[in-house]
Amino acid sequence: MHFAQISDIHVPDFEGVRVRDFMNKRATGLLNLLTGRRGAHPIELAERLIEDLANQKLDHVMVTGDLTNLSLPGEFQRASKLLRLLGGFDKLTVIPGNHDVYTKGAELSGRFQGYFADLLWPGDTPAEDRVFPVVKDLGPISVFALSSAIATAPLIAWGEVSKEQLKVLERELAAPPRQGQFKVVLVHHNLHTVRSPWKQYSSRLRNADAVTEVCTRQGVDLILHGHTHGAHRFTAERDGRTVTVIGCGSSTQMSQDPLKVARYNIYSVSKKQLKVRTRVYDLVERRFGWLV
């Protein structure tokens, strides 16, 4: 089984926006896009990312959130069009990040689900049953997709996985048909705490310990996250049990820092053994290649 993880692609698109669309938290987000993050996630790099993914021999692609910048309809439309070049329900699993519920309006309207429901739930799933976690059984692996995305105040990017999600997650992880499967959990917000004090306060997963506890207790093999734009990997431990946690970094970030430039991971699973390889964007060649 070969699957890729991409994350934090932040597809830009301002088509059809109105002044009143920025009379909320988006005002600070727009200022950030026009200053510190100006040109950080060009659409051309997102297009090259999709082309490179299409050229790999992949069974599935998992997207760990932040498909957009400001939860604008145009951004969702463009991100949806790009991702669908890779396939549909059987080829893609997508979860929201904090930027995909950037405003309370986007959260309450279920805008993310409106654009990506067909990638998460079978077409005949009633609207009331289209909730997280999403569970997909993909041959030798089972994927459990959580949502940690919640609307927050300006300058705050907290996340939280609801108690109901954790309850369902535990039940699904323990289900007899999934014993012996390689279990992969997707969540947008990071689980590690090695960040600046401000980032740890303003951008944390508020119940990271509870998520880690459920995953270790139920034998999860791999947790994939986004949110941090630099690649990160560690082993979480609870009560003598461990789980590998990996953030692939942003897959579309234009950066001179070799540790933060656009990248994505390809995971190979065989008989419960995991191999991880990384493809990184070369600023000179303007293409992705293997990290060596």
Side-chain angles (χ1 to χ4, degrees):
M1 182 78 180
H2 305 283
F3 59 95
Q5 177 199 8
I6 66 174
S7 197
D8 296 76
I9 60 177
H10 293 289
V11 172
D13 196 292
F14 292 99
E15 184 176 353
V17 297
R18 303 156 297 181
V19 172
R20 67 182 184 185
D21 292 328
F22 297 95
M23 303 297 287
N24 49 36
K25 181 181 177 178
R26 288 197 185 102
T28 56
L30 179 63
L31 179 62
N32 190 26
L33 287 175
L34 295 176
T35 55
R37 289 180 62 182
R38 184 179 181 89
H41 301 275
I43 190 63
E44 294 81 6
L45 211 164
E47 292 169 346
R48 291 192 181 97
L49 168 69
I50 299 301
E51 291 173 0
D52 196 72
L53 284 161
N55 289 330
Q56 307 305 313
K57 295 180 179 180
L58 298 170
D59 298 298
H60 207 78
V61 177
M62 303 176 193
V63 190
T64 46
D66 277 3
L67 284 68
T68 66
N69 289 291
L70 304 173
S71 297
L72 292 166
E75 294 177 326
F76 279 114
Q77 291 170 8
R78 200 164 195 178
S80 175
K81 185 177 180 179
L82 275 173
L83 289 172
R84 279 174 169 77
L85 294 174
L86 299 173
F89 178 85
D90 293 332
K91 291 292 185 180
L92 282 165
T93 299
V94 184
I95 63 171
N98 55 292
H99 281 264
D100 303 319
V101 290
Y102 204 71
T103 64
K104 199 65 177 178
E107 181 181 47
L108 293 175
S109 67
R111 187 169 297 158
F112 178 88
Q113 290 90 325
Y115 283 94
F116 298 106
D118 62 309
L119 300 181
L120 292 169
W121 299 278
D124 58 352
T125 304
E128 61 270 20
D129 293 334
R130 293 179 178 180
V131 295
F132 292 93
V134 171
V135 182
K136 289 187 181 181
D137 295 311
L138 305 171
I141 75 170
S142 291
V143 181
F144 306 83
L146 301 170
S147 175
S148 61
I150 54 176
T152 58
L155 305 180
I156 299 297
W158 287 326
E160 187 168 1
V161 178
S162 68
K163 292 181 179 178
E164 182 60 29
Q165 283 191 70
L166 289 177
K167 180 179 177 180
V168 175
L169 174 65
E170 183 142 30
R171 184 182 70 228
E172 294 292 342
L173 286 168
R178 299 195 180 97
Q179 304 316 300
Q181 292 283 89
F182 189 92
K183 300 174 184 178
V184 182
V185 168
L186 309 180
V187 63
H188 175 67
H189 287 76
N190 57 291
L191 298 175
H192 66 287
T193 59
V194 187
R195 307 184 77 193
S196 70
W198 169 247
K199 284 289 186 182
Q200 183 54 27
Y201 169 76
S202 65
S203 301
R204 70 189 188 277
L205 181 61
R206 292 196 288 189
N207 59 341
D209 287 344
V211 174
T212 303
E213 183 179 356
V214 170
C215 289
T216 52
R217 184 167 61 245
Q218 294 300 335
V220 169
D221 297 283
L222 180 65
I223 300 175
L224 301 181
H225 71 81
H227 201 47
T228 53
H229 288 191
H232 184 80
R233 176 173 181 168
F234 78 106
T235 300
E237 182 177 356
R238 291 290 188 280
D239 300 322
R241 298 188 178 189
T242 62
V243 58
T244 299
V245 183
I246 299 179
C248 69
S250 170
S251 300
T252 61
Q253 184 159 272
M254 186 68 76
S255 174
Q256 297 294 328
D257 186 340
L259 298 179
K260 293 185 177 181
V261 72
R263 65 193 58 219
Y264 70 93
N265 289 342
I266 293 180
Y267 305 89
S268 299
V269 175
S270 178
K271 298 180 180 179
K272 294 276 282 184
Q273 297 300 308
L274 176 68
K275 178 180 180 181
V276 186
R277 295 176 295 165
T278 302
R279 290 185 66 77
V280 179
Y281 189 69
D282 187 308
L283 295 172
V284 176
E285 298 290 335
R286 300 178 68 187
R287 62 182 177 85
F288 285 86
W290 294 111
L291 178 66
V292 293

